[in-house]
Amino acid sequence: MCGIAGVVSSQPVSDRLFRGIKNLEYRGYDSCGVAYLNSSGIVVRKNIGYVDSVNVTERLCEIEGHVGIAHTRWATHGRVTKANSHPHMSCNGDFAVVHNGIISNYRGLRDELRMQGHEFASDTDSEVLAHLVEEYYRVTEDVEKAFTEALGRVEGSYAFALISTHEPGKIFCARCKSPLVMGIGNKSNYLGSDFITFLSYTRKVIFLDDGEYAVICGDDYYTKKIESGELVDKPITEISWDPETSKKNGYPHYMLKEIHEQPNAMVSAMGLDNQGVVELARMILDADQCFLVGVGTTYYVSLIGQYLFSIHADHFIPAVSSDEFTNLAKPTNNSLAIFVSQSGETYDTLNALRFIKEAGGSSAAIVNVMGSSLARMADHTIMQGSGPEICVVSTKAATSQMIILLQAALELAHLTGKLSRGEKGEIERAMSEIPGRINSVINDNSEFIRGLANKYSHIKNWLWLGRGLYYPLALESALKMKEVTYLHAEGMSGGFLKHGTLSLIDEDMYTVVLVPPKEEEDLYQLTMSSVEEIKARGGFVIGIGFDHDEDLFDEIILLPKVSRFLAPFLPLVPAQLFAYFVALSLDREIDKPKSLAKSVTVP
Ligand code: F6R
């Protein structure tokens, strides 16, 4: 969804700016560019492609300058072309801007500016800001005033950064519904869409809020409200994430590294201060109506949570995809929405949060990124502590969120008297086995799964099936597969299969079935009847399960035996590995699949 970086320093900034957009590439990678201020004015270099390849053609690191802004793009308005990549310049070349978000009234503004004689070099919504500032500067002769006047004209969502030849030592930036973070360094200050942008240089961070702007120099800065111009005293937050953890550490891809990090991420989730989960369970108990809300993977995690609350606490909490929440939910002032999000910046999820707030309801969040909008806006936040997740495709963040939702379900069951302290303690003790078991799944099965992936990566259509709690796991497995392999993969409940999709089963459609352990008698039998139905139609079936049923499955990935409560935490890991190895065999861009971005900050 586009990433923004900026550096102002007493030293040359090109290396730090380049590293900044490299770190932000997960937010968009169809094109990128930089703008520097130096003695000859503003120099812009940009082109289509990944940051490294644009660096080869445009030599982004070789420009002299102590002030610069940069951008990685995920196209929304205008095709992927050099002209549409950011930064964008005003007609007179005195202003350059980068933007993340969508300016909803850009057409009207562009028409108006054209009437005033402005010529546009791109099809983007973003370019209007550069021309607007130029126009207001003509009147005010003050860059800050011109910037805020221009901001007053734009509608929609934005994080903007602007440099100007009239104020050569400064970056002007502002935020409205798109993330923007400042880094406070030593004789250098930074700007980024997140703090990963500059974490190698400073851990001191200021999170801008909606409706605020900042003026940043190398050794100073101030923040103000856009509307009133009133100064805002922003707290500095010290980030505890180690920049080293955001490196690949010898793994060929972040996705594989993050799959391997899952046991540790789960241990961190289990080690969180229990008070956060207790408070969440109390909020659920106090509310008349609750929702679990996320989108994409976090919607599937919410669905998994829905099952966990039903199974363990006899409490039905519907999961709603954040993008449909405002169309579907009817919250009141005694409703609670529990938001699940890795980034804490997803537009649809934040929009759903605003919706519940407007209804007077309360909100809780399970979120990975410190200081993110969701983490700061929710009434109660549980920071999941999974460490940076860099691959666009979510793995370790999702499985850790599942752990926290299980803890909350158990806590709720205890509060309502469904589970005694002893029973709850017993399940929790068993839970502590999950990370070790997942480690074994990774160590013992990776090579076998790689073999299967190589053998079957030519198959273009995949069905993922599960029943009960294994149904949302099948949905998430299919999502992993399609986003990273670009193959058609559909997740479905075993029961639903009979109601239409069975007609697609033939030798070209392969099915992966997530099979519960045999102790789950009914669920197991029902799952196996789906397998029979597929086999009867000549379908090929790979099982991921705990028991060896050789005659029915064409292939089986065997998982270690665990208690039936914990079993659902295992199948997602071989599913992630299978998706990874199929993508590897097809030579896909695994960490940055085409058309995707990690943090979807536009509607
Ligand atoms: C899929 C994936 C996305 C995100 C979704 C929500 O692997 O990562 O579907 O889950 O965009 O993002 P967050 O969790 O950051 O709100």
Side-chain angles (χ1 to χ4, degrees):
M1 289 314 99
C2 303
I4 288 179
V7 189
V8 196
S9 178
S10 54
Q11 300 299 314
V13 296
S14 63
D15 280 349
R16 285 175 281 174
L17 206 51
F18 175 74
R19 191 114 306 279
I21 46 170
K22 269 298 286 171
N23 292 341
L24 284 171
E25 228 180 352
Y26 72 86
R27 297 178 64 87
Y29 30 83
D30 52 44
S31 49
C32 68
V34 296
Y36 289 92
L37 264 169
N38 62 24
S39 49
S40 57
I42 295 179
V43 182
V44 171
R45 298 225 181 127
K46 58 186 187 177
N47 217 327
I48 58 172
Y50 288 97
V51 173
D52 277 332
S53 55
V54 174
N55 188 34
V56 172
T57 54
E58 305 299 325
R59 301 191 317 282
L60 303 178
C61 292
E62 292 172 24
I63 316 167
E64 289 289 311
H66 291 219
V67 179
I69 53 177
H71 188 267
T72 52
R73 181 165 187 249
W74 186 89
T76 57
H77 290 63
R79 289 164 55 83
V80 179
T81 61
K82 181 171 178 172
N84 287 339
S85 19
H86 299 217
H88 296 290
M89 299 281 281
S90 60
C91 295
N92 62 8
D94 289 352
F95 303 93
V97 294
V98 290
H99 168 227
N100 167 210
I102 289 178
I103 305 302
S104 49
N105 62 337
Y106 84 102
R107 284 177 197 279
L109 291 172
R110 196 174 54 188
D111 291 347
E112 178 189 317
L113 287 156
R114 276 189 177 137
M115 301 270 282
Q116 288 165 325
H118 288 263
E119 283 176 17
F120 283 76
S122 77
D123 304 321
T124 64
D125 52 337
S126 315
E127 193 186 339
V128 291
L129 194 92
H131 297 276
L132 271 178
V133 177
E134 177 185 319
E135 203 50 42
Y136 283 109
Y137 184 79
R138 252 193 263 286
V139 183
T140 60
E141 293 190 354
D142 178 318
V143 179
E144 187 175 337
K145 272 199 192 121
F147 184 55
T148 52
E149 295 270 345
L151 292 174
R153 298 293 313 282
V154 297
E155 290 163 16
S157 58
Y158 58 76
F160 275 120
L162 171 132
I163 53 175
S164 168
T165 50
H166 301 291
E167 291 276 17
K170 294 177 182 170
I171 295 177
F172 300 80
C173 62
R175 161 184 175 145
C176 174
K177 298 186 195 159
S178 293
L180 201 56
V181 178
M182 290 157 59
I184 309 306
N186 182 16
K187 295 193 183 137
S188 299
N189 287 320
Y190 302 84
L191 186 65
S193 293
D194 66 20
F195 54 74
I196 298 270
T197 321
F198 47 72
L199 197 58
S200 309
Y201 309 110
T202 181
R203 292 185 185 202
K204 292 198 176 101
V205 165
I206 291 175
F207 297 100
L208 281 185
D209 283 302
D210 286 348
E212 292 177 350
Y213 75 96
V215 180
I216 309 174
C217 310
D219 51 7
D220 200 9
Y221 62 87
Y222 54 82
T223 48
K224 288 184 175 179
K225 290 211 185 319
I226 297 171
E227 228 176 85
S228 62
E230 185 193 330
L231 274 169
V232 193
D233 194 11
K234 305 286 296 177
I236 295 181
T237 306
E238 189 89 22
I239 298 298
S240 56
W241 279 3
D242 179 353
E244 283 305 306
T245 48
S246 47
K247 297 193 175 142
K248 276 194 206 149
N249 291 345
Y251 285 93
H253 296 98
Y254 281 113
M255 182 173 177
L256 191 61
K257 175 181 178 246
E258 288 158 9
I259 289 174
H260 279 252
E261 282 174 348
Q262 288 182 109
N264 281 343
M266 286 173 150
V267 169
S268 305
M270 288 175 194
L272 293 175
D273 180 1
N274 192 41
Q275 269 321 102
V277 169
V278 174
E279 173 64 18
L280 177 58
R282 289 215 177 99
M283 288 172 88
I284 295 172
L285 209 54
D286 288 347
D288 288 342
Q289 180 196 35
C290 299
F291 307 97
L292 280 155
V293 189
V295 68
T297 288
T298 47
Y299 169 58
Y300 295 144
V301 171
S302 302
L303 269 179
I304 291 166
Q306 173 181 325
Y307 277 87
L308 292 171
F309 280 106
S310 282
I311 293 168
H312 293 286
D314 289 343
H315 207 90
F316 177 55
I317 308 183
V320 183
S321 185
S322 356
D323 62 317
E324 282 297 321
F325 191 72
T326 56
N327 298 328
L328 182 62
K330 299 287 167 211
T332 66
N333 58 5
N334 210 13
S335 302
L336 166 71
I338 305 160
F339 296 95
V340 186
S341 175
Q342 191 285 129
S343 64
E345 297 295 351
T346 302
Y347 180 91
D348 290 319
T349 305
L350 292 175
N351 203 35
L353 173 67
R354 289 186 197 102
F355 187 64
I356 191 118
K357 277 184 179 281
E358 274 158 27
S362 25
S363 53
I366 300 171
V367 59
N368 193 35
V369 177
M370 278 167 276
S372 58
S373 303
L374 187 60
R376 287 176 301 131
M377 283 161 70
D379 299 323
H380 173 57
T381 297
I382 298 178
M383 294 305 308
Q384 61 182 88
S386 312
E389 191 184 63
I390 309 289
C391 177
V392 164
V393 173
S394 183
T395 52
K396 66 171 178 172
T399 41
S400 299
Q401 287 157 350
M402 284 166 61
I403 293 285
I404 295 168
L405 287 166
L406 172 61
Q407 287 176 322
L410 296 177
E411 200 57 55
L412 184 64
H414 176 52
L415 284 182
T416 56
K418 191 189 172 225
L419 281 182
S420 68
R421 183 171 294 283
E423 287 165 327
K424 176 172 166 266
E426 214 169 294
I427 303 183
E428 280 168 348
R429 267 190 298 284
M431 253 175 92
S432 62
E433 280 180 34
I434 300 177
R437 298 295 180 157
I438 288 192
N439 233 339
S440 327
V441 172
I442 296 172
N443 293 335
D444 302 345
N445 292 291
S446 284
E447 278 316 300
F448 178 66
I449 296 172
R450 184 204 287 267
L452 286 185
N454 289 341
K455 201 160 148 193
Y456 300 120
S457 61
H458 62 285
I459 299 299
K460 297 208 163 34
N461 293 295
W462 291 87
L463 192 59
W464 289 76
L465 285 191
R467 283 183 184 254
L469 193 34
Y470 296 80
Y471 157 50
L473 292 172
L475 292 174
E476 168 58 7
S477 304
L479 180 63
K480 285 294 84 100
M481 184 140 188
K482 69 184 126 187
E483 61 187 336
V484 75
T485 65
Y486 316 160
L487 297 172
H488 168 229
E490 216 176 322
M492 195 168 296
S493 66
F496 205 89
L497 175 72
K498 294 192 289 286
H499 300 277
T501 311
L502 208 47
S503 63
L504 294 183
I505 298 296
D506 60 17
E507 61 284 359
D508 296 325
M509 165 79 98
Y510 276 33
T511 305
V512 186
V513 180
L514 309 186
V515 193
K518 271 189 175 147
E519 299 91 283
E520 295 261 33
E521 277 176 42
D522 292 349
L523 213 54
Y524 178 82
Q525 287 310 337
L526 284 167
T527 305
M528 294 312 281
S529 67
S530 303
V531 178
E532 301 269 13
E533 284 155 14
I534 297 166
K535 293 302 298 172
R537 282 152 187 88
F540 186 97
V541 185
I542 301 177
I544 300 183
F546 304 84
D547 304 278
H548 207 268
D549 277 286
E550 217 167 334
D551 349 334
L552 269 182
F553 295 107
D554 296 286
E555 304 276 6
I556 180 141
I557 301 170
L558 262 185
L559 302 174
K561 291 259 187 207
V562 287
S563 93
R564 68 191 180 91
F565 288 126
L566 309 186
F569 284 80
L570 268 49
L572 204 49
V573 176
Q576 296 164 345
L577 285 167
F578 187 67
Y580 172 78
F581 286 123
V582 171
L584 193 66
S585 122
L586 296 174
D587 201 20
R588 304 298 195 224
E589 283 291 344
I590 293 180
D591 285 334
K592 299 179 201 108
K594 68 173 180 194
S595 302
L596 301 186
K598 188 149 189 72
S599 196
V600 184
T601 54
V602 291

